[in-house]
Amino acid sequence: MTRIGLFFGTDTGKTRKVARQIKALFDDGLMAKPVNVNRAEVETFMSYDYLILGTPTMGEGQLPGASADCAEESWEEFLPRLEDRDFTGKTIAIFGLGDQVTYPLEFVNAIFILADFFESRGATIVGRWPVEGYEFEESLAVVDGAFMGLALDLDNQSEQTEARLAGWLKSISDSFGLPV
């Protein structure tokens, strides 16, 4: 079985696209193919000690799901299925998509929501990312001067996505045993 699970939530398909970019860099023995959380089984999710999770930030800083008017279920509906699970010993890295121009007061807040959920259940969160190069006013995902995961803005800074993704994967490579 592969060592790293790659799960994402999405509404428009942009987060799926980034998850596929990540997967394309690694062989099937190392990383599983990306799975939308609306199709994920809890036991499969729990079977991985290493998880890379992706999410957009919707509306006013929410996870994707019904209350954010998403067409399909997503993180909002999947997380309650994990509430009673223990994530001690699991290492999780999170990437998040947001729009810093249209939503400067809640840019990539969903990174924080996921990190807080899993960290409070024992997971080790890795993959902090610098705030330099972004123009936003507030984000729950900024803790001690850095994002709690990789922040991507495909709407306003798509030209930086590839370099940011490569830098982030390199930053988590030791924790995940990635050959980057």
Side-chain angles (χ1 to χ4, degrees), residues 111-129:
I111 291 174
F112 168 79
I113 297 168
L114 287 183
D116 184 59
F117 180 90
F118 290 106
E119 195 169 46
S120 70
R121 287 160 179 79
T124 299
I125 306 297
V126 299
R128 294 175 58 82
W129 189 251

Side-chain angles (χ1 to χ4, degrees), residues 6 8-22 34-36 38-39 54 56 72 95 97:
L6 178 55
F8 64 91
T10 192
D11 184 45
T12 64
K14 290 179 183 178
T15 311
R16 177 187 312 110
K17 178 182 174 184
V18 174
R20 287 180 176 164
Q21 285 178 274
I22 293 170
V35 176
N36 190 325
N38 69 8
R39 294 183 181 92
E72 297 182 358
F95 68 92
L97 280 62

Side-chain angles (χ1 to χ4, degrees), residues 98-101 107 134 151-158 161 164:
D99 179 337
Q100 60 195 313
V101 174
F107 181 57
Y134 298 88
L152 297 171
D153 185 341
L154 275 61
D155 296 308
N156 303 291
Q157 296 180 329
S158 61
T161 299
R164 286 175 173 165

Side-chain angles (χ1 to χ4, degrees), residues 3-4 13 28 47 60 87 97 102 107-108 120-122 134 158 179:
R3 294 186 324 103
I4 302 169
D28 292 336
S47 71
E60 296 180 11
F87 285 85
L97 280 62
T102 307
F107 181 57
V108 297
S120 70
R121 287 160 179 79
Y134 298 88
S158 61

